[in-house]
Amino acid sequence: MSAPALNRSTVGRLPAAVRRPDYDVAALPVGIVHLGLGAFHRAHQAVYTDDVLARDPRWGICGVSLRTPRATAGLAAQDGLYAVLTKSREGTAARVIGALREALFLGTDRARLLARFADPAVTVVTLTVTEKGYCHDPATGRLNAAHPEIAHDLAHPDEPTSAPGVLVAGLAARRAAGAGAITVVCCDNLPHNGRVVEGIVAAYARLVDPALADWIGAHVAFPSTMVDRIVPATTAADIDEAARLLGIGDAAPVVCEPFGQWVIEDRFVAARPAWEAAGAQFVADVAPFETMKLRLLNGSHSTLAYLGFLAGHDFIWQASAAPDLGTLVLRQMAEEIVPTLTAPPGIDLAAYCNDLMTRFRNPALPHRTQQIAMDGSQKIPQRLLNTVRDRLAAGASIAHLTLAVAGWIRYASGSDEHGQPIAVADPMAPAFAAIAAAAGGDPARIAAGFLDLAAVFGTDLVAHAPFRAAVTRDVVALFERGVRATLAAHLAGAS
Ligand code: CS2
């Protein structure tokens, strides 16, 4: 017999060890709209919000899934309740979150979403739509007006599907309702994410209605943020574990590491939750935090994902614990990334790197290399290439970084070291397949085809002969000798 399901009437039956909402879930008004109802939001911003609801219940979340009703149906059936399973070597702790007041699916609930935007009680919009969700050019951060979703949304302004289209439609509804100022908080791993989203929204709004763009300029703020928590995709085993720990079934748990960090630019134009009471940091300048996190954490993650996958590691904890990859990532951080950073206030960069290795090596957290490998074209610029730019400008070595970039190219060319096809998930996957097909198996031609992609490398690196030569050498080595021999030679020879 299946366990009874988690909802408002069963939440009282949870074992005493499971923390649950300490406020009246049914009485929560909605104060936040969130776009992108994935696991990351539910394990990060929703937890910070849950922590402040007992003292200030204004901030229930209306969460919206833009692409699929899969998550929303399960969550709606559970009154928005779900468990966060925090996993470490010491075991798993479960906590039930009640902040998610509504779970909407854009495809069927567009009118309800627009009504939320038009509600003066809603003063914050948060977003986790992943890097590719902004429909921008990853190398420049600017709206890609030729993007098929943007073209669709501009042609059908009443049926937007993209994050920029939905945001602008929502802000138009707010303006029409006279509902006043609102703050849009991007929580995706983009550099200067507030500025980037502000620019994308402004460009899109100007294409729709210049007066709307002016209104947005005067009434909407876009603080930048650094968000951090490792949240692998939920598996069937996680759902079983949630049922065991809760004693009742949860169709939509999320799993994460114990660590969490949220640094937010103090730039709000309307009321907001006191997230600082939950441990978030409000600062004047987020840039040093986000550059550190994108380059050290996400840059290392991508390095481990591509080279680790090629070396046969399914999970990040395995790849980071392997002597060769572990050494490469430590040296990449210490020798090539840290020298490009300014330590943010209160942070010791060497200790941060060591803590990252411990986080990566958490064996309780099966984070797939293939999950992180997704959407490399959207991730590589801020994770690896901006570091390369700073190193080149300083006349400094880039040998570890180019091996990581080569790992991406080797992976994205679409077959593994046994000649088996790789399911490359990336908006540019068709372009990668065309490059690989035209190269006819010649690694140098594959490298050249990728290095010509200005949307990824920018016009500067596309034209940078020493950078191209270094990446090409590494791509050829990965194809001809394999990842393990290439790593061994690299670590023996690289200074
Ligand atoms: C990861 C991130 O999937 C990925 O690309 O690098 O989701 C990473 O786990 C988070 O940014 C950690 O805060």
Side-chain angles (χ1 to χ4, degrees):
M1 208 184 77
S2 65
L6 177 63
N7 57 42
R8 280 209 294 270
S9 67
T10 57
V11 72
R13 297 192 217 162
L14 292 170
V18 178
R19 183 167 160 194
R20 80 283 318 262
D22 51 355
Y23 50 86
D24 182 357
V25 173
L28 283 186
V30 169
I32 299 173
V33 164
H34 179 78
L35 304 184
L37 194 48
F40 183 73
H41 168 70
R42 295 197 286 123
H44 189 275
Q45 304 99 61
V47 176
Y48 283 86
T49 303
D50 200 71
D51 276 341
V52 304
L53 288 173
R55 77 186 82 178
D56 182 0
R58 284 178 294 170
W59 304 108
I61 300 169
C62 166
V64 189
S65 172
L66 301 186
R67 311 231 163 268
T68 156
R70 230 181 306 127
T72 43
L75 285 164
Q78 296 181 181
D79 301 322
L81 298 173
Y82 62 91
V84 174
L85 307 184
T86 306
K87 297 188 167 208
S88 67
R89 287 180 182 77
E90 285 71 48
T92 304
R95 164 175 178 184
V96 168
I97 300 296
L100 188 64
R101 192 70 182 84
E102 284 178 343
L104 306 184
F105 169 50
L106 179 67
T108 48
D109 300 320
R110 191 173 275 109
R112 283 176 70 190
L113 172 60
L114 293 180
R116 285 296 179 203
F117 267 97
D119 179 354
V122 172
T123 52
V124 177
V125 178
T126 51
L127 290 105
T128 52
V129 296
T130 80
E131 295 87 342
K132 68 170 175 276
Y134 294 93
C135 307
H136 67 306
D137 180 69
T140 63
R142 283 201 284 273
L143 178 72
N144 174 4
H147 191 289
E149 276 189 63
I150 297 298
H152 167 276
D153 289 2
L154 288 169
H156 306 89
D158 296 331
E159 288 176 12
T161 55
S162 69
V166 170
L167 258 181
V168 171
L171 294 172
R174 189 168 186 90
R175 174 178 175 234
I182 191 164
T183 309
V184 174
V185 186
C186 174
C187 301
D188 281 298
N189 288 315
L190 299 169
H192 314 295
N193 56 8
R195 288 312 96 72
V196 166
V197 176
E198 180 170 29
I200 289 167
V201 165
Y204 186 103
R206 208 151 286 285
L207 292 172
V208 175
D209 173 3
L212 173 62
D214 292 342
W215 183 89
I216 291 172
H219 295 87
V220 187
F222 296 84
S224 286
T225 66
M226 181 269 247
V227 288
D228 191 7
R229 186 165 227 187
I230 294 178
V231 184
T234 302
T235 64
D238 298 324
I239 293 179
D240 290 346
E241 186 176 14
R244 272 199 308 281
L245 291 166
L246 303 182
I248 49 183
D250 178 356
V254 290
V255 296
C256 61
E257 62 173 341
F259 182 90
Q261 191 175 12
W262 196 7
V263 187
I264 309 169
E265 187 183 8
D266 201 353
R267 187 185 163 102
F268 284 68
V269 286
R272 63 159 175 86
W275 284 314
E276 61 272 40
Q281 241 178 303
F282 284 84
V283 301
D285 183 12
V286 177
F289 292 93
E290 67 178 11
T291 309
M292 168 187 79
K293 193 260 174 172
L294 286 170
R295 294 185 182 187
L296 287 174
L297 189 156
N298 298 112
S300 302
H301 246 179
S302 292
T303 303
L304 290 167
Y306 298 118
L307 296 172
F309 178 87
L310 293 169
H313 299 297
D314 286 337
F315 300 111
I316 288 294
W317 69 265
Q318 298 168 322
S320 57
D324 51 4
L325 278 167
T327 305
L328 174 74
V329 161
L330 273 169
R331 289 185 55 186
Q332 182 175 253
M333 290 199 279
E335 295 168 15
E336 294 185 353
I337 306 177
V338 165
T340 69
L341 302 174
T342 306
I347 293 190
D348 175 283
L349 290 173
Y352 185 86
C353 296
N354 284 333
D355 291 348
L356 281 184
M357 289 311 282
T358 308
R359 291 171 62 195
F360 292 156
R361 290 174 176 162
N362 178 351
L365 212 61
H367 202 187
R368 290 198 165 274
T369 45
Q370 250 199 313
Q371 185 185 344
I372 295 165
M374 273 176 62
D375 297 338
S377 67
Q378 316 291 304
K379 294 175 173 176
I380 291 296
Q382 58 274 16
R383 294 180 179 208
L384 297 169
L385 301 180
N386 285 345
T387 317
V388 165
R389 289 188 172 93
D390 285 355
R391 298 285 293 169
L392 290 173
S397 71
I398 52 170
H400 305 312
L401 292 159
T402 56
L403 182 53
V405 173
W408 169 63
I409 293 175
R410 173 71 184 85
Y411 174 94
S413 73
S415 64
D416 68 15
E417 295 199 345
H418 308 288
Q420 297 302 311
I422 299 175
V424 178
D426 192 297
M428 292 181 73
F432 302 163
I435 291 168
D442 176 348
R445 287 181 60 199
I446 291 175
F450 274 88
L451 288 164
D452 283 342
L453 295 171
V456 176
F457 290 99
T459 46
D460 58 339
L461 291 179
V462 164
H464 198 288
F467 170 73
R468 292 183 71 106
V471 173
T472 303
R473 180 200 61 212
D474 291 340
V475 170
V476 170
L478 286 173
F479 271 98
E480 290 183 351
R481 308 168 71 176
V483 64
R484 287 189 185 278
T486 302
L487 273 170
H490 176 82
L491 294 171
S495 58

